[in-house]
Amino acid sequence: MAPWSGLWGGKLAAGGGGGGGDHYRGTPVVVKMENPNWSISEISSPDDDDDEEFLVGGRRKGGRGKNAKQITWVLLLKAHRAAGCLASLASAAVALGAAARRRVAAGRTDADASAAAAAGESPVLRSRFYAFIRAFVVLSVLLLIVELGAYINGWDDLAASALALPVIGVESLYASWLRFRATYVAPFIQFLTDACVVLFLIQSADRLIQCLGCFYIHLKRIKPNPKSPALPDAEDPDAAYYPMVLVQIPMCNEKEVYQQSIAAVCNLDWPRSNFLVQVLDDSDDPTTQTLIREEVLKWQQNGARIVYRHRVLRDGYKAGNLKSAMSCSYVKDYEFVAIFDADFQPNPDFLKRTVPHFKDNDELGLVQARWSFVNKDENLLTRLQNINLCFHFEVEQQVNGIFLNFFGFNGTAGVWRIKALDDSGGWMERTTVEDMDIAVRAHLRGWKFIFLNDVECQCELPESYEAYRKQQHRWHSGPMQLFRLCLPDIIKCKIVFWKKANLIFLFFLLRKLILPFYSFTLFCIILPMTMFVPEAELPDWVVCYIPALMSLLNILPSPKSFPFIIPYLLFENTMSVTKFNAMISGLFQLGNAYEWVVTKKSGRSSEGDLISLAPKELKHQKTESAPNLDAIAKEQSAPRKDVKKKHNRIYKKELALSLLLLTAAARSLLSKQGIHFYFLLFQGISFLLVGLDLIGEQIE
């Protein structure tokens, strides 16, 4: 923007600089008005002659003084920027308050019958867990009232002498409580605290070792490479490595995403005669079945080798669906099977980058690719999920794949050797984590796994807290079911001892059981209780420093998410309620631990993504038999009629815990425990926001 030579410009008359005509004094200023970021740049001018400056021999003497008007403008612009920030914060606070009022007025909670059935929990289990939390809330409120009364009356000095000096009246009751608290309550809470701290340190050490392993992999540039590289561009087609590949797309009532997944899979860069696509539709909605069947027919008419399968008896959920598909007679003609969930969109070169790893590597049973997310910036919830999953793939999967040749199969975006599946017993419907089940059984049979961190497959993240909560319940209940069933097999199998120890103590106990247990117990129960029982101490480094370090390590694989490090730490502790509940239900088979709930998809895909899925001939011509990708894009971008059926809910357990933590924060003020107060305050606010369902997708 050019300097404005108006009111503040140094505009001289034609007669010269000294005495000619009238001219304006001052410093030319460039003002960039880019709301809300205002900036001001000062440009020096030789015609500045403030009262304190004069020229001697053609040279300027002294420093150029600041123009008063320029300083005024700087202050005004900064004030405007601050006002804009305050207005934005006020607007956000008003919107948040309005959403909270609507949520409370609607009165929909997770205790509704429909929500209870969908969440995979029984009403009995939910009521018991909620009653447990509610009892702690009532107890904390009563203790806060007692401690507040003691503080007002100056009885807090009794804490030092309660064990020795007799007192009378109400003070006697309070002194008796202090003696009872110090003698019986504090040792028990301190024991639980020390036990959870030990578990916390062990888990933190495991996390640190994994991060060091990832750093070593990047430092040494370790990367899985095929033993015998394929020759896709060889002049002799027979010299290339194009084995027979079966591609499976299991889906169930996922009409939002079926078109883009089918289109992506049918455009895989692989000889059409060497791969077959199975669309495994478990939908119970006749309309969705018809739409998927018609889409398959379109691609068949276009020349794709694709078949549609629908089960009449829909037992076993996804595992039963895959098991039924593998029983087809033509499966024996194929050597490998690639699996993609309905919302996954593999790149055309996916098979070319994964299948060659199997060549001349007969011990290899699985090649797993990492996930990338099309909607990771949709809202705060998806951003926090992205941090978690980036760490899972970049660190956990990659380190375990490089050093152990074993990790949990992610259920999709992977290629299995069919012989390895058959040798491991095939798909089983005994848990809700059939992917982890088959991976553990294959590992016990001696098969090796490879994780490719540089091969990505796009998919979606749950955008609503309700959908994410259901997904996490299944992901944390299933491993405990599997642990109960697999433990005897792990002990009896003939693999080396350190592999057994890794499976039992690290894979299952530490990362699937201990992590949700101590996260919930330590930060949601024990920490608030130590505020009311000061004799039991929880060190500052457990509350603040180590969790901050662990959060920093978690966020390193996604550095752009660094501004969300504090929300991430608080949200992980908030989710420990759901994970702990799921872990207990899976371990002891409580409630509907075996309930499978399909994660709702929104079908987010740009028009460019959809058009790029079409073969070259389809981009220039449209026929009646060719899939109309323009129509797909319009359908994906159009508002859906079923959005109105969704609604946000109030989550009672999270709200109860928010009250518990905020009450403990108020109690900590009486003891002047700074770090504990701030942690409890912000953690309580986090539980409050999640309990009112204000973190994910907001349904108007």
Side-chain angles (χ1 to χ4, degrees), residues 112-264:
D112 296 341
S114 58
E121 302 173 85
S122 71
V124 175
L125 176 62
R126 177 183 291 101
S127 62
R128 288 178 180 175
F129 190 51
Y130 176 62
F132 171 76
I133 296 175
R134 188 170 54 187
F136 268 94
V137 172
V138 173
L139 179 62
S140 66
V141 172
L142 292 177
L143 290 176
L144 177 62
I145 294 173
V146 171
E147 295 296 334
L148 188 60
Y151 180 80
I152 294 174
N153 290 279
W155 298 343
D156 50 318
D157 295 335
L158 295 175
S161 58
L163 297 177
L165 298 179
V167 288
I168 58 175
V170 180
E171 297 182 42
S172 175
L173 294 176
Y174 183 68
S176 299
W177 157 244
L178 293 181
R179 286 192 293 268
F180 177 81
R181 187 179 73 184
T183 306
Y184 300 103
V185 180
F188 176 70
I189 294 181
Q190 189 65 57
F191 171 77
L192 292 179
T193 301
D194 295 341
C196 287
V197 168
V198 170
L199 297 178
F200 175 52
L201 292 176
I202 294 174
Q203 197 275 332
S204 300
D206 174 62
R207 183 66 54 91
L208 180 61
I209 292 172
Q210 286 185 318
C211 290
L212 292 176
C214 182
F215 176 75
Y216 180 81
I217 290 172
H218 284 278
L219 183 65
K220 297 296 184 178
R221 298 182 180 180
I222 302 175
K223 178 182 175 182
N225 292 309
K227 290 186 176 181
S228 301
L231 303 172
D233 299 323
E235 296 182 1
D236 182 6
D238 295 333
Y241 183 65
Y242 291 119
M244 300 293 287
V245 178
L246 182 67
V247 182
Q248 297 178 332
I249 314 177
M251 57 180 63
C252 180
N253 296 324
E254 295 170 285
K255 61 182 179 181
E256 298 87 358
V257 294
Y258 72 94
Q259 289 175 310
Q260 61 196 42
S261 60
I262 292 175

Side-chain angles (χ1 to χ4, degrees), residues 516 519-520 524 571-581 687:
S519 296
F520 172 74
C524 299
F571 181 69
E572 280 301 289
N573 290 334
T574 305
M575 284 304 300
S576 66
V577 182
T578 298
K579 296 176 181 178
F580 177 82
N581 189 23
F687 269 102

